[in-house]
Amino acid sequence: MAETAPEKRLYIKTYGCQMNVYDSERMADVLRPLGYAVADSPEDADLVVLNTCHIRERAAEKVFSEVGRLKALKTARAADGASMTIAVAGCVAQAQGAEIMARAPAVDLVVGPQAYHQLPELIARTARARGERLAADFAPDAKFDALPAQRVVSGPAAFLTVQEGCDKFCSFCVVPYTRGAEWSRPVAAIVQEAEGLAAQGVREVTLLGQNVNAYAGEGPDGRPVSLARLLYRLAEIPGLERLRYTTSHPNDLGEDLIAAHGDLPQLMPYLHLPVQAGSDRVLRAMNRKHTAAGYLRLVERLRAARPDLALSGDFIVGFPGETEADFEATLALVREAAYAAAFTFKYSRRPGTPAAALPDQVAEEVKAERLARLQALIDAQQTAFNAGTVGRRVRVLFERRGRRPGQLVGKSPYLQAVWAEAPDSLLGQIAEVTITGLGTNSLAGALATTPAAAPHEVAA
Ligand code: SAH
Ligand code: SF4
Ligand code: F3S
């Protein structure tokens, strides 16, 4: 271990997707050698990092209100002769860096998603002379090369970013602008990071990417490797018992990846595959480049490979020009696809995206009403899916203690939260659990007492 300076408090607040969660962990890794220890509140923090999301208007606006709250803490700290550095990172930093510096003088520095390896330098410079600091360029390879090899993880489930950026340019979405072009990390770097995680007791790794199934990282022979091949390679690492990946685009779902869902026991039977809408007219306006029928065919092939697959998705209601008939096509698609879970959003107009300029923006009340109807359908499907697992025996990876003493909480293969009475010795371990009941946000289970064979982590 390198000598470290007296401990400083670092508070990181994370918004947005799992890739931001991963980035926040890695920012903590970058700052640890500088003496920064992660605190769980911004009070008395020497450094506060807001890792932001730009995906919807409300997400972006949250940053400015949070900066307002932090400003009061910063002023109070200054009165005590101490300082608080406020950094804005993530996708709002990338998209609106200059605006943040102008609108929020309490912010000391702005650092884009591909530049946080520069945080130590930016902080040092800020300490020397307070002024405008912007680092928001696109060079993901530089970012990953400059990160410390060592990661500090808590718990047996970890994220691992393998791909960044997006070339799809859905007409509503800011991601291609905030995260840049699709780029994949080389296989060797990912294997090394995964081996390090397994050595720390990690049992489950979720591979992350804005379009993770477009993964095409450099393999050992210098040629690109598909996500499916990467999964088979990671499955060889002793101790890594579970693999997941998110988020996928329907157009990048290759034959070999579908086959992997049938073949690879470590690959969990859960897939987040956003479709956004069920009307081909709307899909075309969204520039999604797939049809509703094409999506449903994919789902059918996935279920042929893995009949118990839990399907998840994302939906946008109230895209410009969406009619009642278009919306009903979304409901019809949902009924046919049968989701185990899904995220639903009202369309949010994002400046700089093509859809922002479209005529026929849908009224707020219409969006709200459609959202409620879609949400009710998805809630019913989710309840039905969960009810279908009651009485079944599943393997649960226990991740943390439950609310009551003697309870542990973990995840089923289908990404359901399951709690059970279990000894602490099972923390971080996978155990057979019989699902006994449905709760609001989790399932109740009981440790199974007899061992069972579990070819796919699930015994019928
Ligand atoms: N790369 C992923 C999704 C990234 S954003 C994918 O393509 O699947 C996560 C979700 O936010 C999207 O799937 C979409 O449903 C939603 N979203 C993106 N832009 C939006 C906008 N302008 N308004 C409302 N929802 C949006
Ligand atoms: Fe956004 Fe579409 Fe890219 Fe997903 S695929 S990140 S929704 S542009
Ligand atoms: Fe948000 Fe950026 Fe993720 S906009 S959803 S944090 S890629």
Side-chain angles (χ1 to χ4, degrees), residues 17 19 53-57 163 165-166 168 170-175 209-212 246-250 272-276 286 288 313-317 319 343-350 353 355:
C17 62
M19 303 198 57
C53 174
H54 199 243
I55 201 84
R56 283 167 290 273
E57 191 177 358
Q163 182 275 335
C166 179
K168 303 290 184 290
C170 299
S171 63
F172 51 79
C173 184
V174 296
V175 170
Q210 262 87 29
N211 278 292
V212 72
T246 199
T247 294
S248 295
H249 192 286
H272 186 67
L273 190 64
V275 62
Q276 313 299 352
M286 286 178 162
R288 287 288 296 182
D314 289 343
F315 292 89
I316 296 177
V317 300
F319 185 80
F343 300 94
T344 55
F345 308 103
K346 284 191 275 189
Y347 170 72
S348 172
R349 223 172 136 223
R350 310 304 293 127
T353 61

Side-chain angles (χ1 to χ4, degrees), residues 80-110:
D80 293 343
S83 70
M84 174 190 275
T85 300
I86 301 177
V88 176
C91 292
V92 181
Q94 183 65 45
Q96 291 182 290
E99 187 184 337
I100 295 167
M101 297 304 288
R103 239 177 99 176
V107 173
D108 298 288
L109 59 102
V110 162

